[in-house]
Amino acid sequence: MSTILLAGGAGYIGSHTAVELLESGYDVIIADNYSNSCPEVINRVEEITGKSVKAYEVDIKDKEKVDALFSENKIDAVIHFAGLKAVGESVAMPVAYYRNNIDTTLTLLECMEKHGVKNIIFSSSATVYGEENPVPYTEEMKRGTCTNPYGWTKVMMEQILEDAAKADKDLSVVLLRYFNPIGAHVSGKIGEDPQGIPNNLMPYVAQVAVGRREKLTIFGRDYDTPDGTCRRDYIHVTDLAKGHVKAIDYVFGAKGVEIFNLGTGTPYSVTEIVETFENVNNIKINHVYGERRPGDLAESYANADKALKVLGWKTEKTLADMCRDTWNWQKNNPNGYRK
């Protein structure tokens, strides 16, 4: 039985991945400082799976504590979710983002080396494709020029992991480039619970629906897209989590670095998201249109053929599923994990 350490595993994607790993027969250890998550998540994951999860409240930058965690447990692989992730906040607080996101990566690599752990999966992002590459994005494209410090930290962390793998021929690294995860576990017990004002579209829509926000502002309606609003590759978080299970299955037999896009390959516009949410859930979303935001691309979507060919992974959930599951989570947890 392999044990997987989920660094930052109490967050939105980490918690859903914990569920899928546990249900696939892996043991899971979660390490999280709960800066953008909540300890209640651990209870919910255990409730869904009927399995126990070992959890540590630890900042992944704290080398002493992370080293102790590795000493206490036989860890077979690491999935690195730990990081600050708000684009706008990264522009306002670049030093905090560089310090946090890069330090977590270096700490994990140092502790892995010390304890002989040779497998790591990194949650990267489509932002590394930058502005220059044409859509759909494919894995062999060069990393582009990012528009914000958050994106640059992902570029830098990918580079650090690639260099580490070049230096250590036994190290196996999988870089998963996420597109836009939305939705929630079908049980409604775990979902996206951003602290403060949501930075992403779907949790904002859900909070308007549940009455926590007055209205949604859609930024820009003059893009070169069919309805003038930005188009993104939205992926159900459960499909994304299953991609991590496939990546874990793969990483144990691999060496070097592999990159996979995790997306559906189908872009949806902001307007389509709002309309689908309204239709599926029979609820109106109060929305207005505002000016474009700087740095927003008109379109971003994946070519996910490589993940299908190499990992045997593809998405199964529809946009209607994503909208239905989001609302099921939000209406049952109007204030997220906090009562």
Side-chain angles (χ1 to χ4, degrees), residues 316-332:
E316 296 168 2
K317 305 271 192 179
T318 64
L319 182 59
D321 293 330
M322 301 179 211
C323 292
R324 188 183 303 109
D325 291 343
T326 298
W327 181 230
N328 185 40
W329 149 256
Q330 193 71 77
K331 74 182 180 194
N332 287 311

Side-chain angles (χ1 to χ4, degrees), residues 68-180:
L69 190 160
F70 274 83
S71 296
E72 285 169 30
N73 300 279
K74 164 86 176 67
I75 292 165
D76 298 291
V78 174
I79 306 183
H80 179 13
F81 298 106
L84 300 172
K85 60 174 191 175
V87 169
E89 187 181 69
S90 80
V91 176
M93 301 165 52
V95 174
Y97 268 68
Y98 288 119
R99 167 66 75 194
N100 185 83
N101 291 5
I102 292 167
D103 264 13
T104 55
T105 306
L106 296 174
T107 299
L108 284 170
L109 283 169
E110 286 167 350
C111 291
M112 284 172 62
E113 184 175 26
K114 181 177 171 183
H115 294 275
V117 180
K118 296 297 184 184
N119 306 294
I120 183 166
I121 291 165
F122 174 57
S123 56
S124 191
S125 164
T127 57
V128 303
Y129 290 112
E131 298 180 287
E132 303 90 334
N133 287 307
V135 289
Y137 300 133
T138 57
E139 290 89 347
E140 73 279 357
M141 288 175 172
K142 280 203 165 109
R143 286 185 284 250
T145 304
C146 293
T147 56
N148 57 76
Y150 162 74
W152 280 118
T153 67
K154 292 293 187 188
V155 167
M156 291 173 185
M157 289 187 281
E158 282 198 4
Q159 188 65 53
I160 289 165
L161 287 158
E162 286 181 2
D163 290 341
K166 276 185 204 144
D168 180 354
K169 299 301 181 216
D170 293 325
L171 191 61
S172 180
V173 176
V174 173
L175 307 175
L176 297 180
R177 291 178 178 166
Y178 305 164
F179 280 71
N180 292 68

Side-chain angles (χ1 to χ4, degrees), residues 240-258:
L240 184 68
K242 287 178 176 170
H244 290 72
V245 178
K246 294 285 192 184
I248 282 286
D249 295 340
Y250 172 85
V251 80
F252 285 125
K255 291 278 188 289
V257 181
E258 281 290 353

Side-chain angles (χ1 to χ4, degrees), residues 207-228:
Q207 289 190 11
V208 171
V210 87
R212 277 172 67 181
R213 308 273 161 208
E214 183 204 345
K215 63 178 185 289
L216 169 74
T217 300
I218 296 173
F219 298 104
R221 61 190 307 187
D222 58 351
Y223 286 97
D224 186 15
T225 59
D227 64 20

